[in-house]
Amino acid sequence: MNTTLRDGIDWVGFVDWNVRDFHGYITKRGSTYNAYLIQDKKIALIDTVKGPFSEHLLNNIRDIIGNRKIDYLVCNHSELDHAGSIPAVMSAYPDAVVVCTAKCEKTLAMHFDTSGWKFQAVKTGDSLSLGNRTLTFIETPMVHWPESMFTYMPEEKILFSMDAFGQHYATSNRFDDEVDLDAAMFEAKVYYASIVMLYNTQVRKVLEAAGGLKIEIIATAHGVIWRSHIGKIIEAYKEWSSERFRRKVVVMYDTMWNSTEKMAEAIYEGALIPGVEVSLIHIRKTDLASIAYEIIDAAGVAFGSAILNLDIMPTAHAVLSYLNGLKATGRAGLAFGSYGWSAGAVDEIENYFRKLKWESIREPIRSNFSPTPEILAECRKAGRELAEKAYEIGSS
Ligand code: FEO
């Protein structure tokens, strides 16, 4: 495995082939926790790995520097998939100085006993000489946490970007030109939808701040390192954070005895007009990350649920709450669902639409138990109207 970014700069992270659940995000391809070791007159480690894998990290470091010591441990982000092994590193290298933002120092103290650690707080524009090469710092609040930052090495034009531009993608290859690029871009988009979409505004600011940097390598904290397709991933981030929608409709639903499913299928059929892409998703059979991926650039969403215990189904709450948390705002919406004796419960979908700032194209379509041919015709008509709206507000 080639782990060398530049002479004296190596990946020393961990490939987690078997992780499948990342706080609810189903990671079908596993993930990696990327840490980087820089050998100069001083030695710096950038980020660590999840706590259970600290021995792998330490072995990777020892394989490269033997008995030499780490001088600086740069913590770009204190979430535990990257900071979890800091205690193990500080135990092995107690004289290392932890370099991070002031907020990060406070956050680390809430995770660990940091009383014996030496800290150097940095802010945007600060730099740290390692001898022949320099680390400079750019605060990136809310990408992904309030304490986060990028580290940039101007001499080598490397941006250590922590979560940004990452992917949950386990592979034995470390670089974008050594893997299937479509797979890397797909996983980067799934990652953006579930981890980063909430912070679109901050991402746009960070892209602007990073725009003046000459970048030849983006060393992410997850997945492959970008060195041959930097323009592609940066353009993709600009597009995903732009909140411009495509001419796309997502029809999603949960169903009990297939009545809501029949309505969903009729809406789907109606939405199939030229120039509009349409997806049909049974939400109980689909993980949240895949739903977020589908929704990220969809201009229109039809959302349906059967009624269970006088309420929309628990899965429907979960999906709508997840999208609300991600601030997936601004779509055109259509609510629908079947019911037995609680027709009003479908209104709960519209309550979520209001939170999401989705504009309903019409009142909810309701079916008392199995949909009649008339209701299915109404669903097809509404599906067409939603697709026409998506065509109007989306771009190709
Ligand atoms: Fe990969 Fe926000 O941690």
Side-chain angles (χ1 to χ4, degrees):
M1 176 163 65
N2 172 24
T3 57
T4 301
L5 284 72
R6 295 273 203 240
D7 196 27
I9 304 176
D10 287 274
W11 176 92
V12 287
F14 181 75
V15 181
D16 193 351
W17 287 98
N18 295 317
V19 64
R20 290 291 178 274
D21 179 355
F22 206 93
H23 46 59
Y25 173 153
I26 302 303
T27 47
K28 295 172 190 164
R29 281 191 168 103
S31 192
T32 75
Y33 316 113
N34 298 340
Y36 301 94
L37 189 70
I38 303 165
Q39 300 171 77
D40 205 303
K41 290 179 181 158
K42 300 285 187 183
I43 294 182
L45 176 67
I46 298 191
D47 294 323
T48 70
V49 301
K50 250 187 188 174
F53 310 118
S54 55
E55 269 311 304
H56 294 271
L57 171 70
L58 291 170
N59 286 338
N60 289 342
I61 293 169
R62 289 185 197 116
D63 282 350
I64 294 171
I65 61 172
N67 291 328
R68 289 181 70 194
K69 304 291 180 207
I70 289 174
D71 298 290
Y72 298 109
L73 197 175
V74 177
C75 178
N76 279 331
H77 177 26
S78 64
E79 193 164 9
L80 295 173
D81 46 335
H82 311 295
S85 291
I86 292 182
V89 172
M90 292 308 288
S91 193
Y93 303 100
D95 293 328
V97 176
V98 180
V99 179
C100 62
T101 64
K103 269 189 190 154
C104 185
E105 180 177 343
K106 285 186 188 154
T107 312
L108 290 174
M110 290 183 253
H111 289 320
F112 313 117
D113 176 6
T114 62
S115 51
W117 299 1
K118 284 175 273 191
F119 280 95
Q120 180 172 336
V122 292
K123 55 187 186 317
T124 297
D126 287 352
S127 61
L128 175 68
S129 173
L130 300 179
N132 295 318
R133 293 178 285 201
T134 316
L135 301 178
T136 64
F137 307 99
I138 304 161
E139 290 168 274
T140 58
M142 300 318 296
V143 185
H144 160 227
W145 278 7
E147 46 36 290
S148 305
M149 68 176 187
F150 287 169
T151 297
Y152 177 65
M153 181 182 278
E155 295 84 358
E156 301 288 359
K157 302 181 180 60
I158 301 177
L159 182 70
F160 298 94
S161 66
M162 45 97 204
D163 279 342
F165 311 111
Q167 333 93 51
H168 285 312
Y169 184 15
T171 155
S172 60
N173 295 311
R174 301 275 57 82
F175 295 96
D176 59 344
D177 47 32
E178 298 174 327
V179 300
D180 175 350
L181 182 61
D182 289 342
M185 289 301 297
F186 172 81
E187 292 302 338
K189 188 171 179 182
V190 175
Y191 187 92
Y192 190 97
S194 269
I195 304 282
V196 191
M197 176 160 54
L198 169 60
Y199 309 116
N200 279 336
T201 309
Q202 291 89 339
V203 170
R204 291 195 292 268
K205 282 185 193 154
V206 165
L207 287 170
E208 207 177 304
L213 303 177
K214 290 187 169 33
I215 300 171
E216 291 182 357
I217 295 176
I218 299 179
T220 63
H222 294 290
V224 294
I225 298 161
W226 302 97
R227 68 177 177 190
S228 294
H229 302 285
I230 287 171
K232 192 172 174 78
I233 188 67
I234 287 181
E235 280 311 306
Y237 259 58
K238 283 183 186 163
E239 181 62 29
W240 299 333
S241 63
S242 71
E243 298 179 13
R244 286 193 298 267
F245 304 127
R246 290 171 52 228
R247 290 169 175 158
K248 177 178 175 182
V249 167
V250 178
V251 182
M252 60 174 112
Y253 66 96
D254 198 354
T255 193
M256 287 175 67
W257 295 103
N258 305 108
S259 295
T260 303
E261 184 165 61
K262 286 176 189 158
M263 297 172 78
E265 288 167 352
I267 291 167
Y268 170 82
E269 287 164 15
L272 292 171
I273 65 170
V276 176
E277 179 186 339
V278 192
S279 300
L280 182 64
I281 297 175
H282 188 317
I283 58 175
R284 192 148 31 98
K285 298 178 181 179
T286 311
D287 64 275
L288 289 170
S290 297
I291 290 171
Y293 171 87
E294 286 291 338
I295 215 85
I296 186 171
D297 48 10
V301 181
F303 196 100
S305 176
I307 303 306
L308 176 71
N309 302 330
L310 308 181
D311 197 356
I312 57 172
M313 295 185 76
T315 43
H317 277 292
V319 169
L320 290 165
S321 166
Y322 192 67
L323 296 177
N324 188 43
L326 290 172
K327 290 197 171 28
T329 54
R331 279 77 176 163
L334 167 64
F336 65 97
S338 67
Y339 66 97
W341 49 94
S342 183
V346 176
D347 291 338
E348 182 62 9
I349 297 172
E350 290 248 297
N351 290 338
Y352 277 107
F353 282 9
R354 278 187 281 280
K355 285 187 204 169
L356 281 158
K357 300 186 176 62
W358 289 3
E359 185 192 339
S360 290
I361 59 159
R362 51 158 291 162
E363 73 280 3
I365 307 176
R366 304 167 209 267
S367 174
N368 199 186
F369 289 114
S370 196
T372 61
E374 290 74 26
I375 290 175
L376 291 177
E378 195 181 346
C379 287
R380 278 188 282 275
K381 180 167 175 286
R384 182 176 182 90
E385 286 167 6
L386 184 63
E388 286 168 351
K389 186 75 179 171
Y391 189 92
E392 179 192 323
I393 63 178
S395 52
S396 54

